[in-house]
């Protein structure tokens, strides 16, 4: 497995970081928002298999890629607010850099962007959903930490 790469350069395109919103009083933002121009082709951060591709009330046109198991953990990336419900179908293999959609403004969004999440879970556990809080996924880790662990210079090769 090749090391993961950012879909878009975070030094240029970050509009919202991972972590608590509203100074800790609001919900927890479980990804990083990257905002190149609407319609910009959206590449996969790593090779994998399409695990989900559907419309979600909050995330809009959502796609989740399963990247396999590394060091006893399952790795996934999530891409939300895509322009259209298109791209590869569930079960399809995806190459790193393959276009999986375009930057959009679907779902609960206030402007075109990619909401990018990274997930690390126990083998076979999948993405853990928690409806008791804000409905977010509980296997998410900061994409910056994910890239430090599994990205270029720090990840699976």
């Amino acid at each position: 497995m090749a090391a993961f790469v950012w879909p878009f350069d975070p030094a240029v395109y970050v509009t919202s970081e991972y972590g608590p919103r509203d100074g800790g009083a609001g919900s927890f933002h479980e990804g990083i928002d990257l905002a190149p121009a609407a319609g910009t082709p959206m590449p996969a951060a790593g090779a994998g298999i399409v695990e989900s591709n559907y419309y979600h009330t909050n995330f809009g046109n959502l796609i989740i890629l399963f990247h396999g198991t590394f060091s006893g953990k399952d790795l996934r990336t999530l891409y939300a607010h895509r322009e259209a419900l298109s791209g590869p179908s569930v079960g399809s293999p995806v190459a790193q850099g393959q276009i999986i959609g375009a930057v959009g403004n679907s779902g609960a969004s206030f402007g075109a962007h990619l909401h990018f999440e990274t997930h690390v879970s126990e083998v076979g556990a999948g993405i853990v959903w928690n409806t008791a809080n804000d409905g977010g996924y509980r296997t998410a880790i900061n994409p910056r930490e994910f890239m430090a662990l599994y990205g270029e210079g720090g990840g699976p090769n």
Side-chain angles (χ1 to χ4, degrees):
M1 171 180 352
F4 290 87
V5 296
W6 287 97
F8 303 110
D9 185 351
V12 176
Y13 295 111
V14 169
T15 57
S16 185
E17 289 283 354
Y18 175 93
R21 291 248 168 116
D22 303 322
S27 63
F28 194 89
H29 190 233
E30 295 184 350
I32 287 181
D33 291 344
L34 303 163
T40 300
M42 184 182 297
I49 302 291
V50 177
E51 186 170 84
S52 299
N53 188 353
Y54 65 100
Y55 183 84
H56 182 281
T57 304
N58 291 325
F59 289 132
N61 298 316
L62 168 71
I63 192 166
I64 299 172
L65 304 181
F66 174 66
H67 300 285
T69 302
F70 179 73
S71 294
K73 301 288 184 181
D74 284 349
L75 307 179
R76 290 174 175 81
T77 52
L78 177 152
Y79 309 77
H81 307 301
R82 292 178 305 149
E83 191 171 69
L85 189 58
S86 60
S89 59
V90 172
S92 297
V94 172
Q96 183 178 59
Q98 181 177 332
I99 302 306
I100 56 173
V103 173
N105 189 24
S106 60
S109 173
F110 297 102
H113 70 285
L114 162 61
H115 173 82
F116 179 63
E117 292 186 10
T118 52
H119 293 265
V120 178
S121 64
E122 297 302 317
V123 174
I127 291 180
V128 178
W129 181 259
N130 179 353
T131 57
N133 190 0
D134 61 1
Y137 295 119
R138 294 297 167 247
T139 51
I141 69 168
N142 188 327
R144 293 184 185 281
E145 179 183 342
F146 183 92
M147 288 302 187
L149 292 169
Y150 307 108
E152 292 179 319
N157 294 310

